[in-house]
Amino acid sequence: LKCRLGWRKVRAGSTSGMSQQATSELLTVVLDARLALLRDATPGQPKLGGLDASAGGAAGAVGGAACPAWVLPSLWDGLLVLFKAHAALGVDQPVALVAASARRAALVASGPFSAVDWAAARASVAELVAEEGAVAAPPLLSLAISRALCYANRLRRDKDQPSLPARVLVVSASDRASDLGAQGTALTSAAFAAKSAGLSLDCLSLGPEASAVLRQACILTGGKHQALPLGSQSYPLADVLAPLLLFHFLPGLAARKELAVVEDVQTLAAVCSCHGEAREIAYMCSCCLAIYCSGSRAICTACRTRFRLRDDLDPPLLELDLAAVASFSTTIRGR
């Protein structure tokens, strides 16, 4: 009897210890507005993959085949499954949803899964995508990630939990590797800020080609990058997306360390800010770390730092005699 009671006591104590160790985790999803232009090129259907600019264009069938379905409705259903599974992992699991377009980034939903009005959140995303010029240029993903980091910091402060686990999942529709090259400096700064705050950046790329800058941001923060070009899967996206989200992005950082997770390809090629292309040899600004193809620029377009001074005000000292050096120093002091 003593042994049985002692065993029950130990078992109860271990269960309470497990419940105390189980902490909540913030999951924030950032949506690319260009996802509204993607179609699912499933097997047997015409491949209209990539960014289909004619959203309301010809919806007729080609050769009698069914027209590819839009990606965003299937993605929304898959994200709801991910949020619901994330909520089932703990008692108080906060979630957040940020939508990013070429004009702005907005926090459309936040809080526990059961307390969020997902119908209103879907309407907010549709309204953001329907704005004029929302998909005419790459979205402001650096701004959206910054808003996600600010929300995580505010939630930690409100809950008085400075070490609250948090991670950000970016769902991108990049069409080339040089995509988001103009935001390379801002995305890198956001990645370093997330790393210092203990957050990880994950990315799911559904476009024709994954962005190199987003892949590097995931590597810097210890996150996971998964590319699923439309048309590469053997089954419709609606059947593949939810299992993919649950398998790759449901486990947090603590759980991933215990799982045999395959590491991503380490591609840290430099992406220039002027053309958005990967370079093996490039020039870097000493102030903001912006990367350029050549050193012929006089002013950094990111931080406005002047690289080349005027020759008449800063001549080489080897070309000056002592009298000229003295007069030059007097001129500088006078200025």
Side-chain angles (χ1 to χ4, degrees):
L1 181 60
K2 290 182 180 180
C3 294
R4 183 178 299 176
L5 291 177
W7 176 76
R8 288 181 178 177
K9 183 177 180 180
V10 171
R11 184 177 63 176
S14 61
T15 304
S16 61
M18 290 176 60
S19 61
Q20 292 178 359
Q21 293 177 0
T23 58
S24 59
E25 182 184 30
L26 171 63
L27 174 60
T28 305
V29 175
V30 176
L31 288 180
D32 187 343
R34 296 175 297 178
L35 292 167
L37 303 180
L38 294 181
R39 287 181 179 270
D40 179 20
T42 54
Q45 293 182 348
K47 292 186 178 181
L48 303 180
L51 296 183
D52 185 10
S54 59
V62 179
C67 185
W70 297 106
V71 168
L72 195 55
S74 301
L75 176 63
W76 185 264
D77 295 339
L79 289 177
L80 290 183
V81 173
L82 176 64
F83 282 141
K84 189 176 297 184
H86 176 73
L89 296 179
V91 178
D92 187 15
Q93 293 279 82
V95 296
L97 181 64
V98 181
S101 67
R103 300 184 58 185
R104 63 188 180 97
L107 180 66
V108 297
S110 61
F113 175 81
S114 58
V116 175
D117 187 356
W118 293 107
R122 182 169 183 170
S124 300
V125 173
E127 181 181 356
L128 183 140
V129 172
E131 293 178 354
E132 183 179 358
V135 294
L140 301 176
L141 288 184
S142 58
L143 176 60
I145 295 175
S146 299
R147 296 207 62 175
L149 297 180
C150 292
Y151 177 75
N153 187 29
R154 184 179 64 187
L155 188 64
R156 287 174 172 178
R157 186 175 63 252
D158 295 341
K159 289 180 172 292
D160 196 15
Q161 297 180 5
S163 60
L164 176 68
R167 51 195 173 98
V168 179
L169 170 60
V170 180
V171 184
S172 172
S174 300
D175 56 348
R176 61 188 185 276
S178 59
D179 191 28
L180 305 175
Q183 305 179 43
T185 304
L187 286 172
T188 304
S189 301
F192 280 114
K195 183 178 181 180
S196 62
L199 278 77
S200 65
L201 295 180
D202 300 331
C203 180
L204 173 61
S205 178
L206 297 178
E209 190 174 1
S211 172
V213 177
L214 279 181
R215 186 185 294 272
Q216 293 175 10
C218 295
I219 295 174
L220 289 175
T221 59
K224 184 173 183 58
H225 187 282
Q226 183 69 27
L228 183 65
L230 297 180
S232 62
Q233 71 276 8
S234 303
Y235 298 93
L237 186 66
D239 300 337
V240 175
L241 195 55
L244 184 143
L245 289 172
L246 294 178
F247 183 81
H248 290 286
F249 302 110
L250 179 60
L253 291 180
R256 293 177 188 178
K257 295 179 181 179
E258 304 297 332
L259 300 175
V261 179
V262 179
E263 296 184 358
D264 297 329
V265 179
Q266 302 290 327
T267 56
L268 295 176
V271 180
C272 66
S273 302
C274 46
H275 302 92
E277 299 178 356
R279 298 287 180 178
E280 295 183 358
I281 300 177
Y283 296 82
M284 179 180 295
C285 175
S286 59
C287 295
C288 67
L289 304 182
I291 299 175
Y292 296 98
C293 298
S294 64
S296 60
R297 289 181 175 268
I299 297 177
C300 176
T301 58
C303 65
R304 312 305 299 176
T305 299
R306 180 179 292 276
F307 294 146
R308 296 177 178 271
L309 301 179
R310 291 175 54 184
D311 293 338
D312 56 345
L313 296 180
D314 188 19
L317 295 179
L318 295 178
E319 299 178 0
L320 299 176
D321 53 7
L322 295 179
V325 171
S327 62
F328 176 74
S329 301
T330 305
T331 303
I332 294 298
R333 293 193 191 98
R335 292 179 183 272

